Amino acid sequence: MRELASGIQLENRGSQVEFLDEELRNYIIAEAKTILQIRNGKPQLPKRLPKFFTHVRRIEDDDLKFLKKEIEDPLYLGNVRSGSKELKTKIHVNAREAIPHHILIPATTGRGKSNLVKVMLWELMDIENIGMLVLDPHDEYYGRNEKGLKDHPNQEKLRYYTPEISKVEGEAISLNINLRSIRPEHFDGIVEFTSAQKDAIKLYHNKFEENWIQNIIRGEKVENQEGTKEKVSPSTLSVLQRKFDNILGIYEEEGRLESRGGVFTTDAGDSTIKDIIKSLEDGEIVIIDTSRLMGEAELLVGSIIVGALFNKYQKYKAEGKLEEKPIIGIVIEEAPRVLGKEVIERQGHNIYSTIAREGRKFNIGLVAITQLVTLIPRTILANMNTKIILGNEMSQERSEIIASASQDLSDDNRAIASLDRGEAIVTSIFTKFAVPIKIPLFEEHVKDKISETKEKPPLLSPEDL
């Protein structure tokens, strides 16, 4: 058929040619790739091609019965997709396995990353013993002015921290972090300091302990033992004061420390970090609204929380108590800000890159979202054992995604480029093959779930019985 069509084109007859058998035009040339073999209802990796002239047809839900077996702590991602056709078969991964092994969500803008994360968080609200920390730079997951996690029937499992508590209807907690909660190591890999500035920070922390930032901002002097020479030059101290003003919004005015924005403060927020960690250890979803913070301040808030959490889980492992504790997942947007090659090379490792490398041993994992996979080192990409790949038009990005996928996607380069909004390919060490899925629109997904809840019959009273 292909040769026949080429010959007609050469003769410049194109579509004007008439066929005696008009159905001849309806043949479709297709290229197939063997990805799985079902034998006795069990999936196996194929070792040989189908026999010659084997009947070919589109996949159907009955062919995917093996995917319907029950798994523990199922995290719903979407329905199986065949081309553009959505099947009824639902795809789940075991949340307790997938999250500590890290999840990567790569895609260009407008392909449905936020919608996917909303659907995943909604589903996680129903799973016990999994705590999720969500650093939300766009304030889009709680649903302040639209449908969001606040509408979940199990909303007592949700904690929402925001600096704008007065503008929120419903239960929200004021995001205040006391300066005494911040330690020098929380800035590692987040803020770039010179050697002189690092030495000065160390001196102030050793001398003033938890009040080290306040004393830098106040300009307190650190002198040698004889009291004849300042150990920190005025210029270094001035630069540190300016950096803390820019990042933390803390400055001195008429002898008092003032807070711009109110997140970092000296007179409140003593228990905020402890409360957040307790919520995570209780298996709750904690959303931190960082939409009013600059990039470094947002990452610093996460660094303080995650650093403290990581230390606690290291301690639990040493004491043999780790298996009693919930799995913890951390949702981080624009992941190259903390996992990028240049960031790590220039500023050293931070707590997020430490989690990416070692978190699995302590049941802590990342859900990393990015448009630019090429900025992340391959050693970290290799540790992301589940990738939910949405559409990406950039060839270089697709090549990097394919090179780090858990299954062979070398023939799917164009398929990834042509993925429409809400369409994805799931590749994971926990699936036998790369699964094409259709992710539901969050608003539709929520509506269905709420409807299901409302449609439940009311409980009968003892009198009714």
Side-chain angles (χ1 to χ4, degrees):
M1 183 66 186
R2 180 182 290 173
E3 288 78 4
L4 176 59
S6 301
I8 293 170
Q9 193 68 33
L10 283 174
E11 293 174 7
N12 294 321
R13 299 185 64 184
S15 60
Q16 303 300 320
V17 71
E18 295 181 1
F19 290 98
L20 293 177
D21 181 1
E22 295 185 355
E23 295 298 320
L24 187 62
R25 291 171 179 244
N26 292 333
Y27 285 102
I28 297 173
I29 298 174
E31 294 182 3
K33 173 185 174 183
T34 54
I35 56 173
L36 205 68
Q37 176 180 349
I38 309 299
R39 177 168 289 180
N40 300 324
K42 295 182 179 178
Q44 299 175 346
L45 292 177
K47 300 292 190 296
R48 59 185 180 183
L49 295 171
K51 292 181 180 177
F52 202 46
F53 284 126
T54 298
H55 179 62
V56 177
R57 61 173 171 77
R58 283 183 176 275
I59 197 166
E60 298 173 354
D61 284 304
D62 285 344
D63 301 317
L64 301 170
K65 288 180 180 175
F66 65 93
L67 290 175
K68 296 179 181 177
K69 69 175 183 179
E70 290 191 3
I71 61 175
E72 294 181 4
D73 303 313
L75 173 58
Y76 171 69
L77 300 177
N79 284 20
V80 174
R81 177 175 50 81
S82 174
S84 296
K85 182 182 178 183
E86 181 181 346
L87 304 183
K88 294 180 181 177
T89 302
K90 297 182 177 181
I91 291 297
H92 299 86
V93 293
N94 184 323
R96 291 186 67 83
E97 289 180 342
I99 290 175
H101 284 78
H102 312 299
I103 297 174
L104 180 70
I105 302 176
T108 49
T109 302
R111 297 303 181 100
K113 297 188 294 292
S114 299
N115 180 73
L116 168 61
V117 176
K118 279 185 183 179
V119 171
M120 291 171 63
L121 291 173
W122 181 274
E123 294 295 316
L124 284 165
M125 293 274 283
D126 285 326
I127 302 178
E128 299 293 329
N129 288 322
I130 294 183
M132 295 296 295
L133 174 65
V134 185
L135 300 173
D136 188 357
H138 307 299
D139 193 22
E140 58 188 339
Y141 297 122
Y142 177 75
R144 187 187 296 195
N145 302 311
E146 56 192 2
K147 294 290 183 187
L149 296 187
K150 73 177 190 313
D151 301 298
H152 197 286
N154 195 18
Q155 59 182 271
E156 65 273 11
K157 192 180 172 182
L158 181 66
R159 296 289 179 270
Y160 176 56
Y161 285 82
T162 177
E164 295 185 318
I165 189 170
S166 60
K167 297 181 180 179
V168 180
E169 293 182 8
E171 294 190 14
I173 306 168
S174 183
L175 179 61
N176 296 127
I177 296 176
N178 197 292
L179 293 183
R180 290 190 294 272
S181 304
I182 304 176
R183 296 174 58 83
E185 57 265 29
H186 294 147
F187 292 92
D188 289 350
I190 306 295
V191 180
E192 194 169 359
F193 290 115
T194 63
S195 297
Q197 292 162 6
K198 288 179 181 175
D199 290 342
I201 287 173
K202 190 175 179 181
L203 280 171
Y204 272 86
H205 185 252
N206 288 341
K207 182 174 177 60
F208 299 105
E209 299 182 342
E210 61 182 14
N211 294 312
W212 66 281
I213 292 180
Q214 292 93 314
N215 282 285
I216 286 179
I217 296 170
R218 291 184 187 280
E220 294 290 337
K221 295 178 181 177
V222 179
E223 299 174 332
N224 61 9
Q225 291 183 344
E226 294 77 22
T228 56
K229 184 179 179 182
E230 293 181 25
K231 288 187 175 182
V232 179
S233 71
S235 61
T236 300
L237 189 58
S238 175
V239 173
L240 285 176
Q241 289 171 331
R242 190 168 63 248
K243 283 194 172 186
F244 288 143
D245 185 353
N246 292 334
I247 298 168
L248 305 175
I250 298 290
Y251 60 98
E252 187 179 29
E253 187 172 278
E254 298 179 353
R256 295 179 304 173
L257 293 187
E258 301 289 342
S259 172
R260 189 184 304 108
V263 173
F264 296 99
T265 178
T266 57
D267 54 7
D270 287 302
S271 64
T272 301
I273 303 302
K274 289 180 181 176
D275 293 343
I276 291 173
I277 290 175
K278 182 180 184 306
S279 294
L280 293 171
E281 289 194 53
D282 288 341
E284 296 175 344
I285 309 283
V286 179
I287 297 176
I288 310 290
D289 168 21
T290 58
S291 60
R292 299 294 179 271
L293 299 177
M294 300 293 286
E296 288 176 327
E298 177 208 352
L299 297 176
L300 179 63
V301 170
S303 178
I304 298 168
I305 300 168
V306 177
L309 187 70
F310 189 63
N311 290 338
K312 289 199 80 171
Y313 269 56
Q314 280 182 314
K315 185 180 176 186
Y316 291 145
K317 185 177 177 64
E319 295 172 348
K321 299 178 181 176
L322 187 62
E323 295 308 314
E324 304 169 11
K325 301 297 176 182
I327 298 289
I328 303 294
I330 301 158
V331 179
I332 177 78
E333 301 243 5
E334 300 173 28
R337 292 182 298 165
V338 285
L339 301 180
K341 297 172 195 170
E342 290 186 10
V343 173
I344 294 173
E345 287 173 1
R346 189 176 65 245
Q347 302 183 27
H349 282 284
N350 51 64
I351 187 62
Y352 302 97
S353 61
T354 301
I355 295 289
R357 290 180 292 114
E358 304 176 25
R360 182 169 59 83
K361 292 184 289 187
F362 305 101
N363 287 345
I364 303 176
L366 296 177
V367 179
I369 305 165
T370 181
Q371 297 184 41
L372 300 171
V373 174
T374 49
L375 298 182
I376 300 176
R378 283 197 171 181
T379 49
I380 290 181
L381 288 176
N383 282 339
M384 303 278 179
N385 289 314
T386 296
K387 297 181 178 68
I388 307 173
I389 305 167
L390 293 105
N392 200 317
E393 294 167 346
M394 293 182 281
S395 174
Q396 192 177 358
E397 296 299 319
R398 294 199 304 273
S399 299
E400 195 65 42
I401 294 167
I402 290 170
S404 62
S406 300
Q407 280 92 19
D408 179 15
L409 299 181
S410 54
D411 294 333
D412 294 291
N413 195 317
R414 291 305 311 164
I416 294 172
S418 61
L419 288 173
D420 206 348
R421 181 179 172 82
E423 295 179 346
I425 296 174
V426 179
T427 171
S428 171
I429 61 171
F430 303 109
T431 60
K432 288 281 187 183
F433 63 101
V435 189
I437 64 169
K438 175 69 176 177
I439 303 158
L441 189 63
F442 176 74
E443 286 73 15
E444 294 296 322
H445 191 60
V446 169
K447 187 173 71 175
D448 293 345
K449 295 287 181 180
I450 292 177
S451 297
E452 286 174 14
T453 306
K454 288 182 177 177
E455 286 169 4
K456 287 181 180 178
L459 293 175
L460 295 176
S461 65
E463 292 74 18
D464 295 330
L465 294 172

